[in-house]
Amino acid sequence: MKTKTKTKGSWPADTPRDICAMTWWPSNAELMHDLVRIGYVDPKRKIVDLTYGRGTWWKKLEADGVKLKNLLGHDITSDGVDFRQKLPHRAASAHTVTFDPPYVSTGGRNTSTLDEFNDRYGILHSEKTPELNQERLINPGIKNATRILAPDGKLIVKAANYISSNSYKQAVRWSIEYAESIGLELHDQMFTAGHVRAQPGGRKINHSRNNYSVALIFVPGKAMRKRPAKIK
C-alpha cells in the first residue's frame, strides 16, 4: 500500500533538509545541483539559461547523468541572443530561467583579464560603473526573463554587493527592488561563501572584504500567476 507523503507546512516531508541558505558551494555547478534537489529547478521542464557561457552551472548535473534535453542555453558570443533584447521564446513558456549577469562592473580598468571576464559571462562588454551595469545589463535581463517565465516558474538571478571607488554598492537590493517593481516576488535567497581575491599591496582597506554572492529565487507575483501557462 502506497503511503501518502506527509507535509509540514508547505514543504513535502521528503524535501532535502541539508540544504542551507548559506553554504560553501565550490562553484555554481554545485549550487545548481542543490537547486534541483530542493525543487527550484526541474530538469524535466523547459529551462532557459540566459548567460550560458561555458555551461558551468550544469556541469555537475551532466556529470551525475542528469538528462538536460530541456535546457536551452543562450550566449551572445555563440548564438547571438542578447538578454537585453526580447528573447526568442513565447511568453510564459519557461519553467526555469537562470541569469548570471556580470554583477561586478569593470570600473576604469583595461587589463588582459577583461576578455576572459566577458567570455565567462557570455557578453561582449561590461559597463564601467555599478549603476550603469544595473541599468543597462541586469535590469533588462530580469525584465526579459520575466516575460517568458511560466506562472509556476522560478527565475534565478545571481547578484552580489561590492565595493566600487571606495563606496559600498547594494547591488543585491537593486536587483530585488527592480524585480519586485515589475511584478515578481522574492521566494528565497541562497548565499555562496567563498575565498576573497588578492588585492594589490599598499591598497587601503576601508570595508570588510566581500566573500559571498547570492542566488535570488523569484516567482511570479499574484497578477502574473493568473497568466495561462504555455510550457513548451
Side-chain angles (χ1 to χ4, degrees):
M1 180 178 178
K2 187 174 181 180
T3 303
K4 185 177 180 180
T5 302
K6 296 181 179 180
T7 60
K8 183 178 181 181
S10 60
W11 290 93
D14 56 355
T15 298
R17 302 293 176 177
D18 60 331
I19 299 176
C20 300
M22 176 171 281
T23 300
W24 198 292
W25 284 288
S27 73
N28 283 336
E30 285 77 16
L31 169 62
M32 179 55 67
H33 182 266
D34 279 351
L35 288 169
V36 171
R37 290 179 61 221
I38 203 171
Y40 292 163
V41 179
D42 184 354
K44 297 179 181 179
R45 300 178 67 181
K46 182 177 177 179
I47 303 169
V48 177
D49 186 346
L50 302 185
T51 44
Y52 185 82
R54 301 169 184 171
T56 304
W57 282 58
W58 313 99
K59 290 188 181 299
K60 180 170 175 54
L61 292 172
E62 290 173 337
D64 290 346
V66 177
K67 302 298 182 183
L68 296 173
K69 62 181 181 179
N70 296 311
L71 169 63
L72 301 172
H74 295 304
D75 185 327
I76 193 171
T77 59
S78 60
D79 66 2
V81 175
D82 187 343
F83 58 73
R84 296 171 299 177
Q85 307 297 326
K86 185 177 179 179
L87 300 168
H89 299 277
R90 292 183 301 166
S93 66
H95 178 261
T96 303
V97 182
T98 60
F99 182 39
D100 186 13
Y103 42 81
V104 177
S105 62
T106 60
R109 291 172 289 177
N110 185 19
T111 71
S112 60
T113 62
L114 286 183
D115 287 342
E116 188 275 338
F117 177 87
N118 292 336
D119 178 63
R120 178 153 37 97
Y121 286 98
I123 58 174
L124 297 178
H125 77 283
S126 49
E127 301 297 336
K128 291 186 176 182
T129 70
E131 291 78 9
L132 286 176
N133 204 54
Q134 189 74 35
E135 177 186 345
R136 297 179 180 178
L137 288 176
I138 299 175
N139 289 354
I142 293 174
K143 180 180 179 180
N144 290 317
T146 300
R147 184 188 69 84
I148 68 171
L149 190 64
D152 62 340
K154 300 284 193 304
L155 168 59
I156 300 167
V157 180
K158 285 297 293 293
N161 297 325
Y162 61 101
I163 308 300
S164 177
S165 300
N166 202 33
S167 178
Y168 189 78
K169 304 298 181 179
Q170 299 187 59
V172 174
R173 178 170 62 84
W174 295 345
S175 289
I176 294 173
E177 289 181 348
Y178 179 76
E180 291 178 337
S181 76
I182 61 173
L184 294 171
E185 294 178 0
L186 182 64
H187 178 77
D188 202 349
Q189 300 182 73
M190 298 176 74
F191 295 83
T192 302
H195 297 288
V196 294
R197 295 184 178 181
Q199 293 290 309
R203 176 176 292 183
K204 186 176 181 181
I205 304 298
N206 295 314
H207 300 83
S208 60
R209 302 289 301 283
N210 184 16
N211 67 328
Y212 75 91
S213 62
V214 56
L216 303 171
I217 293 90
F218 294 105
V219 297
K222 185 176 181 180
M224 294 176 61
R225 290 196 293 269
K226 294 180 181 179
R227 300 183 306 183
K230 298 179 180 179
I231 300 300
K232 189 175 181 179

